[in-house]
Amino acid sequence: MADHVDLVLEQWRARRPDIDPSPMGVIGRLSRLSALFDAELRRNFAKYELDRASFDVLATLRRSNAEHSLTPAGLMHSSMVTSGAISQRLDRLEARGLVTRAPSETDGRGVQVTLTAKGLKLIDKVLPTHVDTEARLLAGLSAAERDQLAGLLRTLLESLGDKRD
């Protein structure tokens, strides 16, 4: 069995036998998978008028603590959303009534972002469909293969400096 990346690798081996294109096999497949995964995840989020970054903010607040509340800096640290996207994302989520921003009780200059009841209800509705979508995307792998792949990807991420704080 062969995929599109195999064709690319064969072509490079034929045209440049002096170069080992095998890294392209890994990176190319990860890139293609990322594009396929993103498209499916976007479809699921769109059903709830969300995008990936908005989902990530809501999910981060939901899982972080019992109060479902963090500072914007805490959100950036705990989520996969960049600093430039946080303020913009929070504006949109607040306008929809999904989060509130209030002055911090412990830091006069700080702000706390908190899920509203509406935000909590939405993330609790979206989360099962998100996990189901991800499970469907990984259905071609056995549980053992998923664990092995997760371990290998963790090792690669750690080797590139992406470590748990």
Side-chain angles (χ1 to χ4, degrees):
M1 188 177 280
D3 63 10
H4 177 76
V5 176
D6 287 322
L7 172 64
V8 171
L9 296 175
E10 288 171 21
Q11 290 170 333
W12 277 121
R13 285 184 185 111
R15 301 292 177 263
R16 291 295 308 265
D18 57 312
I19 295 175
D20 174 15
S22 62
M24 290 179 177
V26 175
I27 302 298
R29 286 183 177 97
L30 287 172
S31 294
R32 290 176 69 83
L33 281 168
S34 179
L36 291 168
F37 290 172
D38 284 346
E40 287 297 312
L41 294 174
R42 273 195 311 271
R43 264 191 281 285
N44 184 57
F45 296 145
K47 296 175 193 173
Y48 304 96
E49 299 178 25
L50 292 173
D51 58 22
R52 186 182 195 102
S54 295
F55 169 82
D56 194 44
V57 168
L58 297 174
T60 299
L61 288 168
R62 176 66 171 101
R63 72 173 192 270
S64 291
N65 54 49
E67 296 80 30
H68 312 301
S69 182
L70 289 169
T71 64
L75 268 172
M76 285 186 305
H77 182 74
S78 297
S79 71
M80 293 182 253
V81 179
T82 64
S83 61
I86 284 289
S87 180
Q88 173 187 13
R89 195 68 51 212
L90 291 177
D91 289 345
R92 290 183 187 155
L93 292 171
E94 191 172 35
R96 288 183 60 189
L98 301 174
V99 301
T100 59
R101 286 185 274 197
S104 171
E105 294 177 8
T106 58
D107 177 2
R109 296 174 294 148
V111 172
Q112 283 295 121
V113 180
T114 305
L115 273 179
T116 63
K118 182 179 176 182
L120 180 61
K121 183 177 178 181
L122 179 61
I123 192 60
D124 282 348
K125 183 176 180 180
V126 177
L127 186 62
T129 67
H130 174 68
V131 173
D132 288 347
T133 300
E134 289 185 334
R136 183 176 45 78
L137 290 168
L138 297 174
L141 300 174
S142 69
E145 289 169 329
R146 284 193 311 266
D147 288 345
Q148 181 182 18
L149 179 58
L152 292 169
L153 293 171
R154 180 184 310 107
T155 299
L156 183 57
L157 284 167
E158 289 172 351
S159 77
L160 296 171
D162 188 11
K163 299 188 193 263
R164 181 177 172 171
D165 293 330

